[in-house]
Amino acid sequence: MTNQSNGVKNRAVAQWVAEAAQLTQPDQIVWCDGSEEERQRMTRDAIASRVLIPLNPAKRPGCYLHRSNPNDVARTEQLTFVCTPDKDGAGPTNNWMPPDETYAKLRGWLNGAMRGRTMYVVPYVMGPVGSPFAKVGFELTDSVYVALSMRIMTRMGRAALELLGDSDHFNRGLHSTLDLNPERRLICHFPQDNTIWSVGSGYGGNALLSKKCFALRIASYLGRTEGWLAEHMLILGLESPEGETTYVAAAFPSACGKTNLAMLLPPQAFKGWRVHTIGDDIAWLRIGADGRLWAINPEAGYFGVAPGTNAHSNPNAMKTVQHDAIFTNVAATPDGDIWWEGMGTEPPAGLIDWRGQKWDRGSGQPAAHPNSRFTAPMTNNPALSPKANDPQGVPISAIIFGGRRASTVPLVVEAYDWSHGVFFGASMGSETTAAAVGQVGVVRRDPMAMLPFCGYNILEYFGHWQELVKRLPNPPKIFEVNWFRKDREGKFLWPGYSENMRVLKWIVDRVKGRVGAEQTPIGLVPRKEELDLTGLEISTAQLQQATSINAGEWLAELDQVEEYFARLGAGSFNGFEERIKSARAALAQWR
Ligand code: OXD
Ligand code: MN
């Protein structure tokens, strides 16, 4: 076995890598340094082994296509485990197995798993280097696709080793694709050991351990013990024509348009307004010395859903994926470019589908997988905020919770206070999407969009949110939004995409105390004249439907929420019961 690690000074790292190598028996170990020379070498290897297909450099310079195993195209929540010493530590929403048993089982699977393969040692930093938020992780992986993707998604390489010094405080991620057999696929988290073992999958959310596994599941646990929050949130800055920038963080379940909102290009009528992206998926939030909540994006790239991305829905994303991007499970055109449903162009003749077969237009099957993805560095984004690398992060003035709901939830509603906002987050629901294996389009409760990502007991997590505000003299205001409400014919009531700017502006004006709102049993909603609708064609009736609170729908919603909380054991939790009771009483009087 070759191993060029001899120079590594950190003994904890060297010992842990040696143990993993002894178990998995790779032919060689490659320590990644993050250099350009290394990227080129690994890319050549990936092309030679047909893991990456180069795209036409005249059309997409530096871009590659990856086709995954068709059985491995989304996160597998049923195979994802939080392995705390007792079941209660993982709580009612996580799959649980005891740590010792899990390690033993996975050791059996991993025994010799990397024979004939290379083990890449991928050191990475989450957060701007030098930030008090920053944390170091290592991923040991036998997938060159994962190693190259980690290079895009994180600050990968030598910087991590330098930052770590001789500390042993780093996330220990071990990943092997094994034989991609779903029968031997498990994504296991050991929060107490700051450790992740992921086997049998090469899919981003299962295999890029920095992302969901470390930056959300393990980090949420670390946040609980260290007094901060790791959240499934985008972060954006909204700059007014006067040059005032307000930062908001927004949680939506997977594939509900976080990337689109984070990169939003304001509509024509909003001259002089700009949206700056800090992050599109994950926020780490801490209480600052000034008593405000500060946020960073721990990632350095985007792993976005491709289908539906086009020049209208997200022009900045289209520019972001123009060069130096990796595409996974999209369709390929005969001239070496890529295509997906909802790209805004006709499918060209001779299209190759995501499985690598000639696409049959009449088959009714999509050419790109519905959860096909692009992986691109954040520096490609024309809307990237100058603060994206700021070690201090940005101060958050508003938190938004959103879901995909065909009915009930209005376009926007403001919570009366932080604790009411925690109730918004805890009770939110959304229709499921293709980002996770399972039925698509059914409403499921997804507290704070963290259902698949909270690495400890969700009841403790709600408590952590409620406690945090005691140390937060200037908390952000909290809102709930829904871009996806439909009319009786099933047509969306709100145009969405860039027009969501109008809702963001109302939110900013609420934060600044510049605009009014109407009190309803659910929270504060804008009156028609309080939303800036300049240049938007929307009928009064349509807007009214999009923003209305319907008593019947809400009474049914509260029944479901109550039932969900009861199932979690959160029935009498933190005033949730009283919230439901008083909302019901107010709804009984509602017009
Ligand atoms: C993602 C997800 O990939 O939430 O961001 O599934
Ligand atoms: Mn996500």
Side-chain angles (χ1 to χ4, degrees), residues 75 211-212 232 254 281 303 373 435 453:
R75 284 184 292 99
K211 195 173 178 63
K212 304 302 187 181
H232 192 203
S254 310
D281 194 41
F303 180 62
R373 298 278 178 150
F453 306 124

Side-chain angles (χ1 to χ4, degrees), residues 450-481:
M450 284 289 278
L451 179 69
F453 306 124
C454 182
Y456 62 104
N457 191 315
I458 198 96
L459 302 180
E460 252 189 80
Y461 168 80
F462 296 156
H464 182 39
W465 265 82
Q466 296 283 33
E467 286 296 310
L468 194 89
V469 75
K470 298 187 181 150
R471 296 183 289 117
L472 187 61
N474 292 307
K477 275 183 180 286
I478 300 183
F479 300 81
E480 183 166 3
V481 300

Side-chain angles (χ1 to χ4, degrees), residues 71-90:
N71 78 27
D72 188 30
V73 291
R75 284 184 292 99
T76 45
E77 292 176 7
Q78 74 285 9
L79 302 176
T80 301
F81 284 78
V82 172
C83 306
T84 44
D86 57 63
K87 191 169 183 339
D88 199 47

Side-chain angles (χ1 to χ4, degrees), residues 227-228 285-294 468-469 471-473:
W228 53 282
L285 302 127
R286 276 174 193 271
I287 299 169
D290 61 356
R292 290 188 292 174
L293 195 60
W294 289 71
L468 194 89
V469 75
R471 296 183 289 117
L472 187 61

Side-chain angles (χ1 to χ4, degrees), residues 96-383:
W96 176 80
M97 284 193 290
D100 289 351
E101 203 179 290
T102 312
Y103 280 130
K105 177 178 184 143
L106 294 184
R107 260 197 206 100
W109 291 2
L110 284 163
N111 196 351
M114 296 193 192
R115 265 189 215 123
R117 300 183 184 183
T118 298
M119 176 197 272
Y120 298 93
V121 180
V122 183
Y124 62 91
V125 183
M126 297 309 278
V129 177
S131 165
F133 290 84
K135 294 209 177 277
V136 171
F138 279 73
E139 176 162 355
L140 311 180
T141 178
D142 55 10
S143 160
V144 68
Y145 163 77
V146 166
L148 282 164
S149 300
M150 288 292 286
R151 191 176 192 282
I152 296 176
M153 293 304 297
T154 69
R155 294 151 177 96
M156 185 268 249
R158 217 181 283 283
L161 276 166
E162 281 163 16
L163 184 63
L164 187 63
D166 55 13
S167 163
D168 68 353
H169 189 63
F170 61 92
N171 182 266
R172 291 153 168 79
L174 174 57
H175 170 249
S176 171
T177 54
L178 301 185
D179 52 359
L180 295 174
N181 174 358
E183 301 290 316
R184 295 202 311 154
R185 179 173 297 162
L186 280 176
I187 296 87
C188 298
H189 305 73
F190 305 88
Q192 279 74 10
D193 303 341
N194 200 355
T195 290
I196 305 152
W197 284 15
S198 166
V199 297
S201 169
Y203 171 73
N206 292 335
L208 308 180
L209 300 187
S210 60
K211 195 173 178 63
K212 304 302 187 181
C213 300
F214 180 29
L216 285 177
R217 296 194 191 97
I218 297 286
S220 61
Y221 169 82
L222 295 175
R224 167 78 182 86
T225 37
E226 295 167 7
W228 53 282
L229 292 167
E231 296 297 330
H232 192 203
M233 290 179 180
L234 67 90
I235 310 164
L236 61 80
L238 201 63
E239 187 182 346
S240 72
E242 294 75 37
E244 170 195 70
T245 304
T246 309
Y247 295 95
V248 309
F252 293 78
S254 310
C256 283
K258 280 208 302 298
T259 306
N260 294 346
L261 187 62
M263 296 184 177
L264 181 147
L265 208 58
Q268 290 268 310
F270 280 67
K271 278 210 175 43
W273 285 88
R274 288 173 66 186
V275 166
H276 303 282
T277 320
I278 312 281
D280 79 324
D281 194 41
I282 299 176
W284 284 0
L285 302 127
R286 276 174 193 271
I287 299 169
D290 61 356
R292 290 188 292 174
L293 195 60
W294 289 71
I296 60 149
N297 168 18
E299 301 190 281
Y302 311 122
F303 180 62
V305 178
T309 306
N310 60 51
H312 169 68
S313 65
N314 194 338
N316 283 322
M318 293 308 277
K319 290 185 182 142
T320 301
V321 302
Q322 208 48 60
H323 60 98
D324 301 303
I326 298 175
F327 298 90
T328 303
N329 293 338
V330 300
T333 68
D335 59 355
D337 202 359
I338 40 91
W339 189 88
W340 50 71
E341 278 71 20
M343 195 186 227
T345 54
E346 281 301 305
L351 200 60
I352 306 294
D353 74 9
W354 65 276
R355 294 167 189 259
Q357 310 292 326
K358 227 171 156 238
W359 183 57
D360 172 5
R361 209 180 268 255
S363 67
Q365 296 298 313
H369 187 276
N371 192 37
S372 53
R373 298 278 178 150
F374 56 79
T375 311
M378 68 176 182
T379 46
N380 279 11
N381 175 8

